[in-house]
Amino acid sequence: MQKLTNKEEEIMHILWKLEKAFVKEVMAEITEDQPHYNTLSTIVRNLEEKGYVAHNAFGNTHQYYPIVSIEDYRKRFMTTAIDNYFNSSYKNMVSFFAKEEKISAAELREILAMIENPKAEK
């Protein structure tokens, strides 16, 4: 999987949400820094070249849909982030969020319960 730019990642989140969309539908979902239609079309085609999306042709227009799931992308993104920013240590990552007060003790206990009993349902 090739790395995505911030704008490409933003577009992918829109496509994951919509599941299938024409460029004009993607454009309607962008609330800040809306690119020109042709620029957005180029970004979507780049996503297709990178293997993230495919399309169905309807005459001269294309409806795009993701072929990489958000779960697969999340795994790759998180693995890369943990490798690059936390020395490949999940412990370092969790302790970072604990120090930043982004995760509570109760949430940590929930995570520990999931680790200790992975088959238990909520």
Side-chain angles (χ1 to χ4, degrees):
M1 249 187 256
Q2 289 186 36
K3 184 174 176 159
L4 297 181
T5 66
N6 290 340
K7 191 53 102 173
E8 288 171 337
E9 196 170 281
E10 177 186 354
I11 303 310
M12 281 305 301
H13 281 283
I14 292 169
L15 287 170
W16 285 318
K17 175 185 165 190
L18 298 177
E19 297 179 1
K20 291 182 180 179
F22 295 97
V23 172
K24 66 181 178 179
E25 293 169 323
V26 173
M27 179 77 80
E29 294 287 320
I30 300 173
T31 55
E32 294 181 20
D33 297 327
Q34 196 173 61
H36 186 275
Y37 180 91
N38 291 342
T39 302
L40 179 57
S41 183
T42 299
I43 293 169
V44 174
R45 285 194 312 275
N46 287 342
L47 286 168
E48 188 169 27
E49 287 176 20
K50 289 181 175 183
Y52 284 87
V53 302
H55 72 270
N56 293 317
F58 296 94
N60 289 336
T61 187
H62 296 127
Q63 184 183 47
Y64 294 92
Y65 56 92
I67 56 175
V68 171
S69 71
I70 193 167
E71 292 81 12
D72 288 342
Y73 186 75
R74 182 183 301 135
K75 274 185 205 172
R76 180 196 172 272
F77 175 82
M78 289 305 299
T79 299
T80 300
I82 291 165
D83 289 347
N84 291 339
Y85 298 105
F86 300 103
N87 298 321
S88 302
S89 169
Y90 288 86
K91 177 185 168 199
N92 288 347
M93 180 197 66
V94 172
S95 66
F96 167 80
F97 288 114
K99 287 175 190 171
E100 294 290 315
E101 297 179 5
K102 303 291 184 193
I103 191 167
S104 70
E107 289 170 319
L108 287 170
R109 282 190 287 276
E110 284 180 41
I111 293 168
L112 186 56
M114 283 187 249
I115 292 168
E116 290 174 342
N117 194 2
K119 295 181 181 180
E121 294 187 35
K122 287 190 167 189

